[in-house]
Tab-separated table of all heavy atoms in Angstrom:
chain	number	residue	atom	x	y	z
A	466	LEU	N	152.119	-97.424	18.764
A	466	LEU	CA	150.907	-96.674	19.074
A	466	LEU	C	149.826	-96.924	18.032
A	466	LEU	O	148.639	-96.977	18.370
A	466	LEU	CB	151.219	-95.179	19.159
A	466	LEU	CG	152.071	-94.752	20.352
A	466	LEU	CD1	152.418	-93.285	20.256
A	466	LEU	CD2	151.345	-95.033	21.647
A	467	LYS	N	150.227	-97.085	16.781
A	467	LYS	CA	149.253	-97.378	15.728
A	467	LYS	C	148.593	-98.728	15.973
A	467	LYS	O	147.388	-98.876	15.795
A	467	LYS	CB	149.915	-97.362	14.361
A	467	LYS	CG	148.941	-97.558	13.215
A	467	LYS	CD	149.660	-97.545	11.881
A	467	LYS	CE	148.721	-97.718	10.720
A	467	LYS	NZ	147.761	-98.756	10.808
A	468	LEU	N	149.362	-99.697	16.396
A	468	LEU	CA	148.814	-101.016	16.705
A	468	LEU	C	147.835	-100.942	17.877
A	468	LEU	O	146.771	-101.560	17.853
A	468	LEU	CB	149.949	-101.996	17.025
A	468	LEU	CG	149.531	-103.424	17.355
A	468	LEU	CD1	148.889	-104.078	16.145
A	468	LEU	CD2	150.740	-104.221	17.806
A	469	ALA	N	148.183	-100.158	18.871
A	469	ALA	CA	147.281	-99.994	20.019
A	469	ALA	C	145.990	-99.289	19.599
A	469	ALA	O	144.896	-99.686	20.021
A	469	ALA	CB	147.981	-99.210	21.121
A	470	ALA	N	146.098	-98.266	18.762
A	470	ALA	CA	144.904	-97.561	18.290
A	470	ALA	C	144.040	-98.473	17.432
A	470	ALA	O	142.803	-98.448	17.534
A	470	ALA	CB	145.313	-96.322	17.502
A	471	ASP	N	144.658	-99.298	16.590
A	471	ASP	CA	143.884	-100.245	15.787
A	471	ASP	C	143.158	-101.245	16.673
A	471	ASP	O	142.025	-101.627	16.394
A	471	ASP	CB	144.800	-101.001	14.808
A	471	ASP	CG	145.223	-100.137	13.634
A	471	ASP	OD1	144.570	-99.101	13.401
A	471	ASP	OD2	146.203	-100.508	12.955
A	472	GLY	N	143.789	-101.673	17.730
A	472	GLY	CA	143.156	-102.607	18.651
A	472	GLY	C	141.964	-102.001	19.362
A	472	GLY	O	140.987	-102.684	19.661
A	473	ILE	N	142.017	-100.718	19.646
A	473	ILE	CA	140.919	-100.059	20.352
A	473	ILE	C	139.772	-99.739	19.401
A	473	ILE	O	138.608	-100.002	19.681
A	473	ILE	CB	141.411	-98.767	21.045
A	473	ILE	CG1	142.355	-99.113	22.185
A	473	ILE	CG2	140.233	-97.939	21.544
A	473	ILE	CD1	143.045	-97.915	22.786
A	474	PHE	N	140.095	-99.180	18.244
A	474	PHE	CA	139.054	-98.662	17.367
A	474	PHE	C	138.513	-99.681	16.371
A	474	PHE	O	137.426	-99.506	15.835
A	474	PHE	CB	139.569	-97.443	16.608
A	474	PHE	CG	139.939	-96.300	17.507
A	474	PHE	CD1	141.210	-95.793	17.517
A	474	PHE	CD2	138.999	-95.756	18.356
A	474	PHE	CE1	141.549	-94.745	18.345
A	474	PHE	CE2	139.331	-94.716	19.198
A	474	PHE	CZ	140.610	-94.202	19.187
A	475	SER	N	139.232	-100.754	16.095
A	475	SER	CA	138.795	-101.686	15.066
A	475	SER	C	137.752	-102.681	15.557
A	475	SER	O	136.950	-103.168	14.765
A	475	SER	CB	139.994	-102.465	14.534
A	475	SER	OG	140.868	-101.601	13.855
A	476	PHE	N	137.766	-103.012	16.803
A	476	PHE	CA	136.910	-104.082	17.295
A	476	PHE	C	135.857	-103.612	18.279
A	476	PHE	O	135.248	-104.429	18.945
A	476	PHE	CB	137.768	-105.164	17.956
A	476	PHE	CG	138.806	-105.729	17.032
A	476	PHE	CD1	140.141	-105.423	17.201
A	476	PHE	CD2	138.433	-106.543	15.978
A	476	PHE	CE1	141.104	-105.941	16.343
A	476	PHE	CE2	139.385	-107.056	15.123
A	476	PHE	CZ	140.720	-106.754	15.299
A	477	SER	N	135.645	-102.317	18.370
A	477	SER	CA	134.726	-101.823	19.381
A	477	SER	C	133.919	-100.640	18.851
A	477	SER	O	134.402	-99.850	18.053
A	477	SER	CB	135.503	-101.388	20.622
A	477	SER	OG	134.628	-100.879	21.586
A	478	VAL	N	132.700	-100.534	19.345
A	478	VAL	CA	131.837	-99.406	19.013
A	478	VAL	C	131.839	-98.404	20.182
A	478	VAL	O	131.251	-97.342	20.094
A	478	VAL	CB	130.405	-99.908	18.724
A	478	VAL	CG1	129.507	-98.818	18.203
A	478	VAL	CG2	130.444	-101.045	17.724
A	479	LYS	N	132.553	-98.735	21.237
A	479	LYS	CA	132.555	-97.892	22.434
A	479	LYS	C	133.058	-96.466	22.187
A	479	LYS	O	132.489	-95.528	22.745
A	479	LYS	CB	133.344	-98.556	23.547
A	479	LYS	CG	132.642	-99.782	24.094
A	479	LYS	CD	133.258	-100.230	25.389
A	479	LYS	CE	132.693	-101.553	25.809
A	479	LYS	NZ	131.476	-101.443	26.553
A	480	PRO	N	134.096	-96.245	21.354
A	480	PRO	CA	134.474	-94.853	21.093
A	480	PRO	C	133.354	-94.052	20.420
A	480	PRO	O	133.181	-92.870	20.708
A	480	PRO	CB	135.686	-94.968	20.170
A	480	PRO	CG	136.265	-96.291	20.472
A	480	PRO	CD	135.097	-97.162	20.791
A	481	LEU	N	132.577	-94.694	19.563
A	481	LEU	CA	131.460	-94.005	18.923
A	481	LEU	C	130.370	-93.681	19.934
A	481	LEU	O	129.780	-92.596	19.902
A	481	LEU	CB	130.881	-94.871	17.804
A	481	LEU	CG	131.813	-95.153	16.629
A	481	LEU	CD1	131.181	-96.146	15.689
A	481	LEU	CD2	132.152	-93.869	15.910
A	482	LYS	N	130.117	-94.603	20.847
A	482	LYS	CA	129.134	-94.343	21.887
A	482	LYS	C	129.624	-93.236	22.820
A	482	LYS	O	128.838	-92.416	23.291
A	482	LYS	CB	128.830	-95.614	22.670
A	482	LYS	CG	128.060	-96.608	21.845
A	482	LYS	CD	127.632	-97.804	22.653
A	482	LYS	CE	126.876	-98.735	21.724
A	482	LYS	NZ	126.172	-99.767	22.394
A	483	PHE	N	130.936	-93.209	23.071
A	483	PHE	CA	131.506	-92.150	23.911
A	483	PHE	C	131.292	-90.790	23.253
A	483	PHE	O	130.930	-89.818	23.923
A	483	PHE	CB	132.997	-92.404	24.151
A	483	PHE	CG	133.683	-91.285	24.864
A	483	PHE	CD1	133.449	-91.053	26.207
A	483	PHE	CD2	134.540	-90.435	24.184
A	483	PHE	CE1	134.070	-90.010	26.872
A	483	PHE	CE2	135.167	-89.391	24.837
A	483	PHE	CZ	134.933	-89.173	26.182
A	484	ILE	N	131.487	-90.709	21.938
A	484	ILE	CA	131.296	-89.445	21.228
A	484	ILE	C	129.832	-89.018	21.304
A	484	ILE	O	129.524	-87.838	21.508
A	484	ILE	CB	131.772	-89.575	19.768
A	484	ILE	CG1	133.289	-89.655	19.731
A	484	ILE	CG2	131.277	-88.422	18.913
A	484	ILE	CD1	133.864	-89.934	18.371
A	485	THR	N	128.923	-89.976	21.160
A	485	THR	CA	127.500	-89.661	21.250
A	485	THR	C	127.153	-89.123	22.634
A	485	THR	O	126.471	-88.103	22.768
A	485	THR	CB	126.655	-90.915	20.951
A	485	THR	OG1	127.024	-91.430	19.673
A	485	THR	CG2	125.178	-90.593	20.955
A	486	TRP	N	127.627	-89.801	23.678
A	486	TRP	CA	127.329	-89.355	25.041
A	486	TRP	C	128.014	-88.031	25.369
A	486	TRP	O	127.469	-87.213	26.126
A	486	TRP	CB	127.703	-90.425	26.059
A	486	TRP	CG	126.725	-91.547	26.063
A	486	TRP	CD1	126.915	-92.804	25.575
A	486	TRP	CD2	125.391	-91.516	26.559
A	486	TRP	NE1	125.778	-93.555	25.739
A	486	TRP	CE2	124.829	-92.786	26.332
A	486	TRP	CE3	124.618	-90.530	27.160
A	486	TRP	CZ2	123.522	-93.090	26.694
A	486	TRP	CZ3	123.315	-90.851	27.520
A	486	TRP	CH2	122.782	-92.110	27.287
A	487	LEU	N	129.203	-87.805	24.806
A	487	LEU	CA	129.880	-86.527	25.014
A	487	LEU	C	129.070	-85.390	24.399
A	487	LEU	O	128.914	-84.321	24.999
A	487	LEU	CB	131.290	-86.580	24.414
A	487	LEU	CG	132.163	-85.346	24.588
A	487	LEU	CD1	132.529	-85.180	26.057
A	487	LEU	CD2	133.411	-85.459	23.743
A	488	GLY	N	128.550	-85.626	23.197
A	488	GLY	CA	127.704	-84.619	22.553
A	488	GLY	C	126.444	-84.340	23.357
A	488	GLY	O	126.037	-83.187	23.509
A	489	MET	N	125.829	-85.405	23.890
A	489	MET	CA	124.636	-85.206	24.713
A	489	MET	C	124.970	-84.469	26.004
A	489	MET	O	124.170	-83.678	26.506
A	489	MET	CB	123.975	-86.545	25.011
A	489	MET	CG	123.303	-87.164	23.820
A	489	MET	SD	122.515	-88.698	24.289
A	489	MET	CE	122.028	-89.307	22.697
A	490	GLY	N	126.159	-84.724	26.534
A	490	GLY	CA	126.600	-83.989	27.721
A	490	GLY	C	126.779	-82.507	27.433
A	490	GLY	O	126.407	-81.654	28.250
A	491	PHE	N	127.328	-82.190	26.257
A	491	PHE	CA	127.472	-80.779	25.860
A	491	PHE	C	126.102	-80.118	25.713
A	491	PHE	O	125.922	-78.957	26.093
A	491	PHE	CB	128.244	-80.661	24.554
A	491	PHE	CG	129.737	-80.701	24.697
A	491	PHE	CD1	130.556	-80.644	23.587
A	491	PHE	CD2	130.342	-80.794	25.935
A	491	PHE	CE1	131.925	-80.683	23.701
A	491	PHE	CE2	131.712	-80.838	26.068
A	491	PHE	CZ	132.501	-80.774	24.946
A	492	ILE	N	125.137	-80.853	25.151
A	492	ILE	CA	123.795	-80.298	25.006
A	492	ILE	C	123.179	-80.055	26.382
A	492	ILE	O	122.552	-79.013	26.622
A	492	ILE	CB	122.917	-81.236	24.153
A	492	ILE	CG1	123.428	-81.251	22.713
A	492	ILE	CG2	121.453	-80.807	24.197
A	492	ILE	CD1	122.774	-82.292	21.838
A	493	GLY	N	123.360	-80.984	27.315
A	493	GLY	CA	122.868	-80.790	28.675
A	493	GLY	C	123.542	-79.615	29.367
A	493	GLY	O	122.886	-78.828	30.062
A	494	LEU	N	124.842	-79.490	29.170
A	494	LEU	CA	125.579	-78.356	29.739
A	494	LEU	C	125.065	-77.040	29.180
A	494	LEU	O	124.940	-76.049	29.908
A	494	LEU	CB	127.074	-78.527	29.452
A	494	LEU	CG	128.021	-77.512	30.042
A	494	LEU	CD1	128.044	-77.659	31.559
A	494	LEU	CD2	129.411	-77.699	29.480
A	495	THR	N	124.740	-77.037	27.892
A	495	THR	CA	124.190	-75.835	27.273
A	495	THR	C	122.839	-75.483	27.878
A	495	THR	O	122.553	-74.309	28.133
A	495	THR	CB	124.044	-76.045	25.755
A	495	THR	OG1	125.323	-76.342	25.212
A	495	THR	CG2	123.486	-74.822	25.083
């Protein structure tokens, strides 16, 4: 699982963009 997580988070900015969009979604919901 650690190897899989390293593969996802080490080479991509997509999780960071997901967090940004999730925060904006919460603001819209508010």
Side-chain angles (χ1 to χ4, degrees):
L466 291 175
K467 184 181 181 313
L468 181 65
D471 285 343
I473 292 171
F474 298 121
S475 294
F476 303 108
S477 178
V478 187
K479 290 194 189 274
L481 296 173
K482 290 186 180 193
F483 173 72
I484 289 174
T485 304
W486 285 107
L487 182 68
M489 289 182 188
F491 277 178
I492 292 171
L494 184 68
T495 301

